[in-house]
Amino acid sequence: MYHTDSMYVKRDEHDEFDEHLRPGGGGLKARQAFVTRTALLTVARELFAERGYAQVGTEEIVKAAGVTRGALYHHFRDKADLFAAVYEDVEGALMERIATSAVAAAQDPLELLRAGASGFLDACEDPAVQQIALLDAPAVLGWERWREIGMRYGFGLVRGGLQEAMDAGLIARQPLDALAHLLLGAIDEGAMLIARAENPAQVRADVGAVVDRFLDALRERA
């Protein structure tokens, strides 16, 4: 197993909020707020994944969560703001899971990147990930914000892996940020192809093969 500190997933302000509100982390009101917010996020994620953002109303969400509409609007500005928080949670949890499994499977930094890319592409076959992260998120949040959130979680993983591969002499020294953006962009575009494919399994295999060749081409030859 390859040990690394590069598989770091950057969390956002929601994590600070959650840490403050976890049971034991504040007073009664804070704990109640944490429970309410968690219930809203959990229910909204299930409903958005099952039917898509446009087909789910706030009244259905609050009823399923067992809270009031006032509670919803206390924590979130509107349905789109709730969706953004759901997407952040999906993206953050996905990247953490991928990082953990990739570190366990990899023998060197380049294989770490390969394992991480493979894990992400596998996750793109999950209907919930497809619906929330790849289909609804760009439309609901707009391309710029969707891209910013995705980059926040994925870019550090890709950049860190490439930096360590360069430091280990596995790939040639080259502009790091440019290479990380290009590799991540290729993987993200592959994810969108999988999400919109009539045969996701076949497209997943095709995209995975291309990404593997991309990474093989980066490896320095003895």
Side-chain angles (χ1 to χ4, degrees):
M1 180 176 70
Y2 178 71
H3 295 277
T4 180
D5 293 325
S6 70
M7 283 297 193
Y8 167 74
V9 178
K10 182 179 180 182
R11 307 294 295 202
D12 74 339
E13 65 272 11
H14 294 305
D15 296 289
E16 296 179 5
F17 180 87
D18 287 351
E19 288 298 327
H20 177 67
L21 296 182
R22 292 188 193 286
L28 177 60
K29 287 185 178 180
R31 292 194 295 272
Q32 289 174 336
F34 173 79
V35 170
T36 298
R37 186 175 187 277
T38 300
L40 286 165
L41 288 171
T42 300
V43 166
R45 176 173 177 167
E46 293 172 354
L47 293 173
F48 291 149
E50 180 182 353
R51 300 209 310 277
Y53 175 86
Q55 301 304 315
V56 178
T58 55
E59 190 62 41
E60 182 179 6
I61 293 170
V62 298
K63 182 177 180 180
V67 303
T68 64
R69 289 179 66 84
L72 169 64
Y73 293 116
H74 174 75
H75 290 283
F76 305 101
R77 291 188 301 274
D78 50 26
K79 190 175 78 164
D81 192 41
L82 171 60
F83 177 84
V86 168
Y87 172 52
E88 290 261 6
D89 280 358
V90 168
E91 194 77 3
L94 177 61
M95 291 300 108
E96 287 184 352
R97 186 170 75 247
I98 289 170
T100 299
S101 62
V103 168
Q107 300 299 316
D108 65 44
L110 203 51
E111 290 307 309
L112 185 73
L113 285 167
R114 190 189 307 276
S118 179
F120 178 67
L121 294 175
D122 284 344
C124 292
E125 292 189 86
D126 180 344
V129 172
Q130 288 183 5
Q131 188 64 53
I132 293 173
L134 300 174
L135 298 177
D136 280 342
V140 175
L141 304 178
W143 191 90
E144 289 291 341
R145 190 176 181 198
W146 170 71
R147 182 67 172 163
E148 182 272 324
I149 293 172
M151 290 289 289
R152 187 191 314 156
Y153 288 103
F155 185 75
L157 303 184
V158 172
R159 189 183 189 282
L162 289 170
Q163 178 68 71
E164 294 199 8
M166 289 182 191
D167 292 344
L170 297 174
I171 63 177
R173 293 283 179 186
Q174 52 196 292
L176 179 58
D177 284 349
L179 181 59
H181 277 284
L182 288 172
L183 177 55
L184 183 60
I187 295 170
D188 283 347
E189 187 62 25
M192 299 299 287
L193 287 173
I194 294 168
R196 289 169 167 75
E198 293 184 3
N199 186 347
Q202 181 59 57
V203 175
R204 161 66 184 91
D206 292 344
V207 170
V210 172
V211 172
D212 281 344
R213 292 190 186 99
F214 190 117
L215 293 173
D216 286 341
L218 290 176
R219 188 181 287 272
E220 285 278 80
R221 305 297 183 224

